[in-house]
């Protein structure tokens, strides 16, 4: 319990640092997003509204930096992320909501599948080291990992989408459909997500497999695993309970970190497959100097990283008795 309390204190301090940096960094960037908005509206906005817009976006020139910081924290506590400059006058929360579900479903599901598949393959490859399974799968998946992601995505898109016409060439759903929570739309969206998800899994599964295989090889030489084998315990029990349970700890840390970057790490996927996720929104926010939208997305990424790492700490406590004893 003391271990978890220490970790909670660390994560609260890290959250405060992330929020503070999130507030400061956009204000240190060059350029003026309000002037960009006025230029984009091409005279449809009164130039005298500049000060009002600055206040609305939390960039009030008449306010001190400390006052802006206090107002920023107060807005965060009340769930107010402001108005998007690029999608003016749509609230930031609404803009993020439109893309977040697409990214979470596609990249989140792909990350979980690649982690589970890679971890299982790595455990089996180490357990059967030197067999045909280890000899074939390890180099094959390493080959796919060595291919740059955008090359692999374009290659699969050309073969499976353009040539064989098995999957759509892009977009999250058919253009003749309206987004809705019904079976027809869900099946259509799932069909459009297969190829991007397959590309993510193929390109990332080797990392989990090799990490688990190397950790398993070290664990298999430990005395408690050799003792379990010498006692004649069932092979499956030794593999799962004694070897894989301890070897999976480094993979859990890596998985927790990767989950945090699920939100912003899908940019290439969404560009290549024209997928309507939050990666596109983040890119457009950076290009338009949309401070409120950038701040909200970066804060979301920081929050998810911290929550995922805290969940990894809980798994460590459950799986590793040494951590419980240290606590």
């Amino acid at each position: 319990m003391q271990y978890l309390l220490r970790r909670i204190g660390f994560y609260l301090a890290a959250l405060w640092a992330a929020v503070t940096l999130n507030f400061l960094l956009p204000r240190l960037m060059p350029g003026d997003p309000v002037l960009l908005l006025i230029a984009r509206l091409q005279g449809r906005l009164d130039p005298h509204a500049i000060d009002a817009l600055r206040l609305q976006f939390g960039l009030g020139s008449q306010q001190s930096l400390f006052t802006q910081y206090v107002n920023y924290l107060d807005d965060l506590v009340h769930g107010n992320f402001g108005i998007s400059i690029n999608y003016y006058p749509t609230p930031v929360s609404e803009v993020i909501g439109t893309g977040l579900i697409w990214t979470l479903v596609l990249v989140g599901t792909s990350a979980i599948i690649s982690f589970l598949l890679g971890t299982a393959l790595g455990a089996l490859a180490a357990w059967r080291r030197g067999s045909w399974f280890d000899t074939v799968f390890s180099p094959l998946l390493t080959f796919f990992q060595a291919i740059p992601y955008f090359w692999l995505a374009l290659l699969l898109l050309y073969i499976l989408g353009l040539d064989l016409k098995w999957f759509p060439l892009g977009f999250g759903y058919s253009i003749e459909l309206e987004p809705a929570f019904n079976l027809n739309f869900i099946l259509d969206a799932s069909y459009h997500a297969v190829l991007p998800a397959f590309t993510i899994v193929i390109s990332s599964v080797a990392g989990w497999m090799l990490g688990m295989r190397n950790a398993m090889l070290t664990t298999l030489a430990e005395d408690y695993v050799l003792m379990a084998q010498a006692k004649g315990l069932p092979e499956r029990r030794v593999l799962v309970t004694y070897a894989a349970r301890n070897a999976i700890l480094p993979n859990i840390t890596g998985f927790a970190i990767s989950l945090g970057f699920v939100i912003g790490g899908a940019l290439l996927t969404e560009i290549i497959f024209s997928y309507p996720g939050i990666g596109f929104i983040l890119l457009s926010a950076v290009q338009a100097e949309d401070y409120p939208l950038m701040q909200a997305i970066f804060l979301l990424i920081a929050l998810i990283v911290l929550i995922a790492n805290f969940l990894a700490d809980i798994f460590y406590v459950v799986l590793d008795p040494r951590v419980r004893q240290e606590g």
Side-chain angles (χ1 to χ4, degrees):
M1 190 62 185
Q2 289 180 354
Y3 171 79
L4 288 180
L5 290 177
R6 286 199 303 269
R7 300 302 294 171
I8 290 174
F10 167 78
Y11 289 130
L12 289 177
L15 178 61
W16 172 80
V19 169
T20 303
L21 286 174
N22 201 34
F23 166 79
L24 290 176
L25 287 179
R27 286 164 174 78
L28 298 176
M29 293 174 62
D32 191 327
V34 175
L35 294 181
L36 286 177
L37 174 63
I38 293 175
R40 190 166 67 245
L41 293 177
Q42 297 180 341
R44 286 174 290 171
L45 193 66
D46 186 353
H48 294 92
I50 291 178
D51 289 338
L53 284 174
R54 290 188 185 284
L55 286 173
Q56 190 177 21
F57 294 139
L59 303 170
S61 58
Q62 305 300 322
Q63 296 178 336
S64 67
L65 194 62
F66 179 74
T67 303
Q68 293 181 44
Y69 181 59
V70 172
N71 292 336
Y72 174 69
L73 294 180
D74 183 65
D75 288 339
L76 285 186
V77 171
H78 293 89
N80 179 18
F81 297 100
I83 304 296
S84 169
I85 297 174
N86 195 33
Y87 298 90
Y88 186 82
T90 307
V92 166
S93 55
E94 187 175 328
V95 175
I96 292 179
T98 58
L100 185 60
I101 185 66
W102 291 98
T103 297
L104 283 179
V105 171
L106 172 65
V107 188
T109 304
S110 304
I112 292 173
I113 291 175
S114 63
F115 170 75
L116 295 177
L117 185 61
T119 300
L121 291 177
L124 288 175
W127 189 254
R128 305 293 184 190
R129 59 186 180 280
S131 66
W132 69 267
F133 182 83
D134 184 31
T135 305
V136 172
F137 267 87
S138 298
L140 181 64
L141 292 180
T142 304
F143 169 75
F144 282 115
Q145 189 187 27
I147 301 176
Y149 175 77
F150 63 93
W151 272 106
L152 180 63
L154 290 174
L155 182 65
L156 292 177
L157 187 62
Y158 175 79
I159 296 175
L160 302 180
L162 186 63
D163 191 20
L164 298 177
K165 302 184 186 307
W166 288 355
F167 300 102
L169 295 177
F171 306 108
Y173 54 90
S174 301
I175 56 176
E176 63 269 18
L177 294 180
E178 286 290 333
F181 191 72
N182 55 54
L183 183 60
N184 187 35
F185 182 79
I186 291 175
L187 290 177
D188 184 77
S190 301
Y191 178 52
H192 280 73
V194 169
L195 187 54
F198 180 66
T199 307
I200 295 174
V201 170
I202 288 294
S203 64
S204 59
V205 70
W208 301 119
M209 178 183 177
L210 294 178
M212 186 64 183
R213 181 183 180 277
N214 293 336
M216 275 284 288
L217 290 177
T218 303
T219 306
L220 288 174
E222 296 289 344
D223 292 340
Y224 56 86
V225 177
L226 298 176
M227 177 63 74
Q229 291 175 316
K231 290 169 65 177
L233 295 178
E235 186 176 281
R236 183 176 179 182
R237 183 179 175 186
V238 177
L239 169 63
V240 176
T241 307
Y242 288 84
R245 175 175 175 173
N246 293 283
I248 200 175
L249 294 176
N251 259 20
I252 288 180
T253 302
F255 180 64
I257 295 174
S258 70
L259 277 183
F261 292 99
V262 159
I263 303 299
L267 185 60
L268 272 179
T269 302
E270 295 176 0
I271 290 175
I272 293 173
F273 293 97
S274 303
Y275 203 77
I278 207 165
F280 258 138
I281 296 177
L282 177 60
L283 177 64
S284 64
V286 173
Q287 291 173 335
E289 300 179 28
D290 190 342
Y291 292 169
L293 187 53
M294 279 192 291
Q295 285 178 313
I297 294 176
F298 290 150
L299 182 62
L300 188 63
I301 294 173
L303 273 175
I304 293 179
V305 169
L306 294 175
I307 292 173
N309 276 276
F310 180 63
L311 293 177
D313 286 336
I314 294 177
F315 276 116
Y316 261 77
V317 171
V318 172
L319 295 175
D320 193 344
R322 294 170 297 182
V323 176
R324 293 196 293 270
Q325 291 173 359
E326 290 175 4

